[in-house]
Amino acid sequence: MEKEDLIRKASNHVAALFKEKLSKKLVYHNYKHTFEVVREARLLAEEHHLPDEEMEILLLAAWFHDTGYINAYKNHEDESVEFATAFLREHHYPEEKITQVARTIMATKHGQLTHHLIEDILVDADISNIGKPTVFAQAELLRVEWEIYLNESYSDIEWAQYQLDFLMSVNFKTQAAQARFSKQLNKNIQEQRARQKELTKKTKKKEKEGRETLAQPKRGIETMFKSTYDNHISLSAIADNKANMMISLNAIIMSIIITYLGTKSSIIGSQFTRNPVLMIPVGILLATSLASVISAIISAQPEVTSFRLKPNKLKSRRINLLFFGNFTKIPLDDFQSGMHDIMRDKNALYNNMITDIYYLGDVLSKKYRLLRISYTIFMIGIILTVLSFVIAIAR
């Protein structure tokens, strides 16, 4: 009765410690895990008909074996021994038994050798979840802990392989644990192996998709190129329309000015002859119209990007065999050979299209820059013409 009373006090003490001091981030090594370890340890000890005195040491060690997580994650067993020793001394527990409790707790440390049955029982109880159907859910909780406290991150395939290796490497030490958990452990190994294979299959499929060559066109890539070409063609047509508008407008203005100034018999021609100052706004308008129309004509002028090609440079990234400005510089045989290479080479196929888009954009950039100059000159010319005409009239 006295022994059971001490174990009950230990359980209450550990529960209070975990509630007050254990981090909520410990989603695996918490009170629930400790409670299950104590329960499994008791069941395994009963299977081995463990004497009451050893049962007491075992259960005390089971209750305190993870209390060290309150202060440390690595080497928490040492801290757990400190918590257990402090509690047991407070309750005047014999020192030799405290030493046994401490030794039993330290047996749960990974890689530690065991020397007594109670140590084997506690170790088996501590890992008993691997012989239960809930092992995979519990493993995910442990994975979270390791990411938080050990900064160890695993991909799904890495974690699956790690779990499979662990399940296959662990052996229960006691006969009771082997009888109790071996059947489910084997099922878990088979299930984990199936999970690992499935994840490997999915990973390889994703890698294969990532390695798929660009010569196997995807709808998204085709749509991108089609949309880009359409946009360039539309922008080029808009630029040409704007240039034609400026050419027509300025040509009309210059024709009218030249016609009236050149006809001295006309009323306007006579008026300009009698008032030479009016020639200033007319001259400004004529000069700016001429500059504007020249810029517009240059903008609308066809421009061909071409290179002086050599057969041994057909695979250059700057060469675009899909554009007549390039391929008309080489012999027919070299052009045919180059086109066959493009159709066979996934990189060359799209590289030529990308090069074509690049130089189309370069031509468009020049077109719109010249158009901007043309419109700006025309606008400035109109403003200066009006201002100078008003000044001339006002004099």
Side-chain angles (χ1 to χ4, degrees), residues 312-323:
N312 61 345
K313 293 186 177 180
L314 290 180
K315 293 185 179 181
S316 170
R317 294 183 64 184
R318 291 174 54 83
I319 304 305
N320 175 23
L321 288 180
L322 303 180
F323 180 58

Side-chain angles (χ1 to χ4, degrees), residues 275-281 387-395:
N275 299 286
V277 71
L278 292 177
M279 289 298 297
I280 295 175
L387 290 176
S388 59
F389 185 78
V390 170
I391 293 172
I393 294 298
R395 291 183 62 182

Side-chain angles (χ1 to χ4, degrees), residues 27-30 32-41 43-44 65-66 69 108 120-143 145-146 159 162-163 166-168 170-172 177-178 180-189 191-192 195:
V27 292
Y28 179 81
H29 292 103
N30 49 27
K32 180 177 180 293
H33 169 71
T34 296
F35 182 83
E36 291 178 353
V37 170
V38 172
R39 182 170 61 86
E40 293 297 340
L43 292 173
L44 293 175
H65 84 285
D66 275 349
Y69 279 107
T108 62
D120 292 338
I121 291 175
L122 184 56
V123 170
D124 285 349
D126 196 23
I127 62 171
S128 60
N129 65 301
I130 67 172
K132 298 178 181 179
T134 57
V135 60
F136 303 111
Q138 295 296 313
E140 289 302 314
L141 297 178
L142 183 62
R143 181 181 179 182
E145 273 194 11
W146 285 4
W159 186 249
Y162 179 87
Q163 288 299 306
F166 178 75
L167 292 175
M168 294 179 66
V170 174
N171 293 311
F172 289 108
Q178 292 170 7
R180 183 175 174 83
F181 302 116
S182 290
K183 185 177 180 179
Q184 184 61 48
L185 174 59
N186 290 331
K187 289 183 179 179
N188 291 341
I189 290 174
E191 184 175 348
Q192 185 63 28
R195 291 186 177 199

Side-chain angles (χ1 to χ4, degrees), residues 88-107:
L88 294 174
R89 283 177 178 169
E90 183 180 344
H91 289 79
H92 309 291
Y93 201 61
E95 286 295 328
E96 64 274 11
K97 290 186 177 181
I98 293 177
T99 301
Q100 289 179 297
V101 171
R103 188 170 59 243
T104 306
I105 291 174
M106 292 303 298

Side-chain angles (χ1 to χ4, degrees), residues 11 46 81 88 113 146 263 301 309 354 385 395:
S11 67
E46 290 173 352
V81 169
L88 294 174
L113 296 176
W146 285 4
T263 308
Q301 184 179 4
L309 300 179
I354 292 169
T385 299
R395 291 183 62 182

